Amino acid sequence: MADALYGDDPEPGEPFPAGRLCVPVRPGTRASVTRLFRTPVGGRTAVAFTAPARLRAVLGADQPWIPLSEAALRALTEPLGVRELRIDPVLTAPRPATTSVALPEPEPEPAPEPLPRPLTALAS
């Protein structure tokens, strides 16, 4: 009975099986930190992949990751206010350019207009 309560079988309404997910991380000060992403409308979401190859296809071969269960990932992100989890997303924004872009030189400011000369009293 305990196995049925705590197993990795998904709930009947869940579209993805529970189990090990590949979760992208970034280096933190003491350990790895789960990377959070933005949805197209700007909401924060956690992202996970069902296979390392899927993670590499979307985020690149140099993206570090850790294995986590869906429940563990949700437990990590819920205190941060992240309630959404995207599994195997395929549409992502392109990575930012790693090369620096030269900005045009600013135009020089025009010289200030000379102040008008003060009026002097006419000598009588």
Side-chain angles (χ1 to χ4, degrees):
M1 183 74 171
D3 290 336
L5 292 175
Y6 301 109
D8 282 338
D9 292 335
E11 292 295 320
E14 291 180 358
F16 294 101
R20 185 183 95 147
L21 296 172
C22 303
V23 178
V25 295
R26 61 179 175 79
T29 55
R30 294 186 183 204
S32 295
V33 179
T34 304
R35 281 188 65 189
L36 297 177
F37 295 82
R38 296 262 178 206
T39 64
V41 294
R44 293 171 63 193
T45 183
V47 170
F49 297 86
T50 55
R54 290 180 183 233
L55 181 137
R56 286 191 298 271
V58 175
L59 299 176
D62 58 340
Q63 172 62 56
W65 61 275
I66 59 172
L68 283 177
S69 69
E70 180 181 345
L73 179 56
R74 287 188 185 277
L76 283 173
T77 58
E78 187 176 350
L80 303 173
V82 178
R83 308 256 186 290
E84 190 172 339
L85 171 61
R86 302 268 173 127
I87 297 178
D88 288 331
V90 291
L91 300 175
T92 61
R95 286 183 159 191
T98 56
T99 58
S100 61
V101 177
L103 298 175
E105 291 292 323
E107 294 183 20
E109 296 210 14
E113 294 286 328
L115 295 173
R117 294 173 57 190
L119 296 176
T120 56
L122 294 175
S124 342

